[in-house]
């Protein structure tokens, strides 16, 4: 089965924060986990794909770039988006289909926005998804704490399905590129 690692909005200004907003929850652990999964993908010969949000740092400068501490593979694909959904108005779907990808491992920011929409949309478009439960983060909001948002999405998206394709949540230390979706069918 062909797979891809999709890392969403892991950008310098979003992860570290700036004069307008704070850093994402547990940013150092997030960066560590992203790098760990990138290395797992490399060893499994799974391509890594990044999506960047054009709203971060107005789409320019070092704040817009992938975080400096993330070990971006030289051959990684990168798509820029102007919407919450990584598939909307980007070449992401075309790329994944052209590579015959069937399973996507997803990580990044922000949990309740871009991560949630990517997981749900991917299942609609015919992909099985593994959300890395300790590989996404958020700034939080006025209603729920950062921990609550992450826990809620890990619970809600584990087993989310669109008839034939669905998402599961696994941790960084698991064998993410040995999908277990078939055992749920």
């Amino acid at each position: 089965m062909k797979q891809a690692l999709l890392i969403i909005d892991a950008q310098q200004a979003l992860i570290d924060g700036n004069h307008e907003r704070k850093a994402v929850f547990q940013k150092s652990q997030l960066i560590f986990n992203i790098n760990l999964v990138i290395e797992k993908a490399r060893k499994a010969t799974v391509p890594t794909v990044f999506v960047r949000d054009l709203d971060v740092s107005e789409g320019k400068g070092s704040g817009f770039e992938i975080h400096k501490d993330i070990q971006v593979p030289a051959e990684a694909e990168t798509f820029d988006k102007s919407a919450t959904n990584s598939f909307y108005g980007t070449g992401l779907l075309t790329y994944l289909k052209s590579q015959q990808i069937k399973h996507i491992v997803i990580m990044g920011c922000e949990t309740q926005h871009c991560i949630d929409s990517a997981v749900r949309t991917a299942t609609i478009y015919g992909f099985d998804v593994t959300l890395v439960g300790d590989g996404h983060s958020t700034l939080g909001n006025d209603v729920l704490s950062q921990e609550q948002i992450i826990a809620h999405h890990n619970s809600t998206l584990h087993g989310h399905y669109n008839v034939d394709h669905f998402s599961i949540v696994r941790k960084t230390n698991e064998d993410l590129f040995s999908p277990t979706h078939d055992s749920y069918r």
Side-chain angles (χ1 to χ4, degrees):
M1 172 187 302
K2 294 197 94 179
Q3 306 176 72
L5 170 59
L6 177 59
I7 303 172
I8 300 169
D9 299 352
Q11 294 164 261
Q12 188 75 34
L14 182 58
I15 290 176
D16 284 348
N18 56 32
H19 62 281
E20 297 173 6
R21 56 198 300 182
K22 60 187 175 187
V24 296
F25 180 66
Q26 296 185 334
K27 75 173 191 171
S28 297
Q29 188 64 53
L30 175 67
I31 292 167
F32 179 85
N33 289 350
I34 288 172
N35 282 329
L36 183 62
V37 177
I38 287 172
E39 180 59 20
K40 286 182 175 191
R42 186 192 65 74
K43 287 180 179 175
T45 64
V46 170
T48 299
V49 180
F50 288 89
V51 174
R52 300 181 300 187
D53 190 328
L54 289 165
D55 284 339
V56 175
S57 291
E58 299 175 351
K60 59 186 178 223
S62 60
F64 173 70
E65 298 302 327
I66 304 303
H67 196 281
K68 64 180 173 34
D69 294 333
I70 293 176
Q71 300 160 2
V72 178
E75 66 281 359
E77 293 287 333
T78 302
F79 297 93
D80 294 335
K81 66 182 175 69
S82 56
T84 300
N85 192 319
S86 294
F87 291 93
Y88 182 81
T90 68
L92 179 60
L93 179 61
T94 301
Y95 169 78
L96 295 171
K97 294 284 188 181
S98 74
Q99 299 300 304
Q100 301 175 325
I101 302 298
K102 302 292 183 200
H103 173 239
I104 306 171
V105 175
I106 295 181
M107 308 179 79
C109 301
E110 226 188 309
T111 302
Q112 72 274 27
H113 300 295
C114 303
I115 298 301
D116 181 85
S117 67
V119 170
R120 294 173 189 273
T121 301
T123 64
I124 291 167
Y125 283 144
F127 302 101
D128 284 329
V129 175
T130 296
L131 173 62
V132 184
D134 55 353
H136 59 95
S137 190
T138 182
L139 297 169
N141 61 38
D142 294 337
V143 178
L144 299 172
S145 71
Q146 297 152 321
E147 296 97 329
Q148 288 172 318
I149 290 170
I150 292 167
H152 167 77
H153 281 78
N154 283 345
S155 175
T156 301
L157 293 172
H158 184 74
H160 166 78
Y161 66 94
N162 280 302
V163 183
D164 297 321
H165 301 281
F166 60 98
S167 62
I168 60 173
V169 178
R170 298 174 77 187
K171 297 287 186 183
T172 298
N173 63 354
E174 295 181 56
D175 188 0
L176 301 169
F177 299 105
S178 291
T180 59
H181 294 76
D182 287 340
S183 65
Y184 292 88
R185 294 192 214 284

